[in-house]
Amino acid sequence: MTTVTARPQARQGEENFPLGIALAFVAFALYSGMDVTIKLLTKSYSVPQIIALNSLFALGPILAYAAIFGGLYNNLRTRRPVYHVIRATCGLFSSFFAFWAYSRMPIADAYALAFTAPLFITALAVPILKEPVGWRRWSAIGVGFIGVLVMLRPGSGLINLGSLAVLAGALFYSVGMLVTRLARNTETSVSFAFYATLASGTVFGAMTPWLGRMPTLHDLGLSALGGTLCGVAFVCLLTAFRKVPAAVAAPFQYTQIIWGVLFGYLVFGDVPDRTLFIGLAIVISSGLYILYRETVLGRQVTAPAKRECT
């Protein structure tokens, strides 16, 4: 999932708002393209095998970026290996739940529920980071979860394993992002993405002899496309955060709902209903307000929920 850590940041003389905004927009579009490939593959392959292949092909762009911008050693060295283990573990669960949910529900619906991550992050910052959360942000969290209830409509049958998996994935993602906050002064964004992706590829790859099967040439190409899109998206997003402040780039995460609806309709024939958009508007408004308060208070800005490449 995507996050904004202490490095890279937009530096004086390096800022370029049009380019940064364009890169953020492209990055989230590419992530959505990857999600389409994942959903297509879930029809024939197990989630662990899909994640393993996706991680394998995503490592190339990540390593290329690390080599170009600062070098592999400077970007991948770590002083806090325990934090990487915790972050990678959270990534394993969040990616599994998210990818599995795609086999059970439309992409746009999954995105709408995944946007609850900023709410989880803010709430969990109290016990994990000992950060104070004022009444304004607690109110935003409460309003946001009302939006979730609007989308799920208790009693309508929409509360199912797929929707619960998305929320569980957002929760694990949020814990992982708080870990990156703890280590933001010593670890780079690239290192968290690299080690999380490497861990996912290794752990889930070890399961494929029992849970996987030999992919066809077409499906292998689809996996290569998805993983490459994810790796390139992450590179675009990191570059965007070099060009513009985090508070400018982060809200473009929400453009994913556009791609989710578009791809869902064109590829899978999914048509979201009006109630989903009402709940989504409430959740997004809450998330943007929390982002605003984080910026006002000068805290590390955390983008909404998105996998890095796991």
Side-chain angles (χ1 to χ4, degrees):
M1 295 189 177
T2 302
T3 185
V4 186
T5 61
R7 300 186 299 250
Q9 297 179 15
R11 300 172 184 171
Q12 188 174 6
E14 193 178 9
E15 287 190 348
N16 185 326
F17 275 69
L19 178 59
I21 290 171
L23 286 171
F25 185 82
V26 168
F28 292 121
L30 293 176
Y31 275 126
S32 296
M34 180 206 70
D35 291 335
V36 171
T37 68
I38 298 301
K39 186 171 177 64
L40 288 170
L41 289 168
T42 57
K43 297 178 180 179
S44 305
Y45 300 93
S46 68
V47 172
Q49 182 176 8
I50 293 170
I51 297 176
L53 288 172
N54 188 76
S55 300
L56 173 66
F57 290 110
L59 282 174
I62 293 175
L63 287 172
Y65 179 93
I68 294 171
F69 293 96
L72 291 176
Y73 175 76
N74 288 332
N75 275 308
L76 301 184
R77 67 186 177 89
T78 174
R79 299 174 184 174
R80 303 290 183 87
V82 174
Y83 284 168
H84 283 283
V85 172
I86 298 173
R87 172 66 185 88
T89 302
C90 290
L92 291 175
F93 285 103
S94 64
S95 59
F96 178 84
F97 284 128
F99 287 2
W100 183 82
Y102 289 155
S103 67
R104 306 294 295 267
M105 63 192 306
I107 289 179
D109 292 34
Y111 282 170
L113 291 172
F115 289 157
T116 57
L119 311 181
F120 284 127
I121 289 172
T122 303
L124 292 173
V126 176
I128 295 178
L129 301 183
K130 310 302 181 184
E131 290 182 357
V133 174
W135 67 268
R136 294 181 181 86
R137 282 179 293 162
W138 277 122
S139 298
I141 292 171
V143 171
F145 281 110
I146 290 174
V148 174
L149 292 177
V150 170
M151 288 188 284
L152 292 179
R153 281 166 282 173
S156 66
L158 294 179
I159 300 179
N160 51 41
L161 291 178
S163 59
L164 294 177
V166 175
L167 292 174
L171 179 60
F172 276 106
Y173 164 82
S174 301
V175 174
M177 290 305 98
L178 291 173
V179 171
T180 67
R181 280 193 181 186
L182 289 171
R184 64 180 179 263
N185 293 325
T186 62
E187 310 303 300
T188 65
S189 298
V190 184
S191 67
F192 276 113
F194 172 75
Y195 291 117
T197 303
L198 182 64
S200 291
T202 302
V203 172
F204 287 119
M207 300 179 185
T208 55
W210 294 274
L211 300 177
R213 66 185 183 87
M214 183 63 67
T216 65
L217 188 61
H218 172 272
D219 292 341
L220 187 62
L222 198 60
S223 295
L225 174 62
T228 302
L229 286 176
C230 191
V232 172
F234 185 72
V235 167
C236 288
L237 197 59
L238 283 181
T239 306
F241 283 120
R242 286 179 176 273
K243 302 299 180 182
V244 297
V248 173
F252 281 89
Q253 170 84 55
Y254 293 120
T255 62
Q256 280 201 284
I257 196 64
I258 300 173
W259 300 112
V261 171
L262 181 62
F263 289 146
Y265 176 73
L266 294 177
V267 180
F268 305 104
D270 297 326
V271 181
D273 61 24
R274 183 181 304 175
T275 307
L276 173 73
F277 288 110
I278 295 173
L280 175 65
I282 297 173
V283 171
I284 289 179
S285 298
S286 301
L288 289 176
Y289 181 76
I290 289 173
L291 186 67
Y292 165 75
R293 290 298 300 173
E294 291 277 318
T295 304
V296 168
L297 295 173
R299 299 184 188 281
Q300 189 70 20
V301 178
T302 304
K306 188 73 192 85
R307 293 162 309 284
E308 280 157 350
C309 289
T310 57

